[in-house]
Amino acid sequence: MNMSKRPNFIYVAGMIPVLFVVGLLIFLTFDNLLSSRAVYGDKFGNAYEVDGLAAILVNLGIFGLIAWLGSYLAFLVKRSAKLMWAHRAIGVVSGVFIAVGLVYGLS
């Protein structure tokens, strides 16, 4: 077996669970976005829900985090400074959307 092919197989096999979890996150976030709600919980079993504009901001922030992951994977492949800049910018904007949505929704 060619040893140079083995790491590629390991990386692809490792990406299968990541893609499954990201797909599930996309499905659940899209469902929440269509119903204008965002439901989340903490480690103590408490559930919180925000509705309306706050939920839209939180859900868009979650989609932004998915794009953030995609931009990082693209950076790992291409190793471009522009991709790293885009990765950081997407992360900041997504974090701001989520924080503003939660503060607005819980106030």
Side-chain angles (χ1 to χ4, degrees):
M1 180 175 185
N2 188 354
M3 292 305 284
S4 66
K5 299 277 184 193
R6 187 171 177 92
N8 289 337
F9 173 74
I10 292 171
Y11 295 140
V12 170
M15 287 301 294
I16 292 172
V18 172
L19 293 176
F20 175 76
V21 170
V22 168
L24 185 61
L25 181 62
I26 290 171
F27 171 75
L28 294 173
T29 304
F30 190 69
D31 183 49
N32 282 338
L33 186 64
L34 289 178
S35 62
S36 295
R37 68 169 186 219
V39 181
Y40 56 98
D42 60 17
K43 64 182 178 180
F44 303 111
N46 301 320
Y48 305 96
E49 182 175 344
V50 292
D51 296 322
L53 178 62
I56 292 171
L57 290 173
V58 170
N59 288 318
L60 289 177
I62 293 171
F63 281 131
L65 290 178
I66 295 167
W68 176 77
L69 173 65
S71 67
Y72 186 69
L73 294 175
F75 167 76
L76 289 178
V77 171
K78 296 291 183 182
R79 300 289 181 174
S80 165
K82 289 181 182 180
L83 283 174
M84 179 50 80
W85 182 87
H87 167 71
R88 290 179 179 162
I90 292 169
V92 168
V93 171
S94 299
V96 167
F97 270 41
I98 291 172
V100 168
L102 291 177
V103 169
Y104 178 71
L106 295 177
S107 62

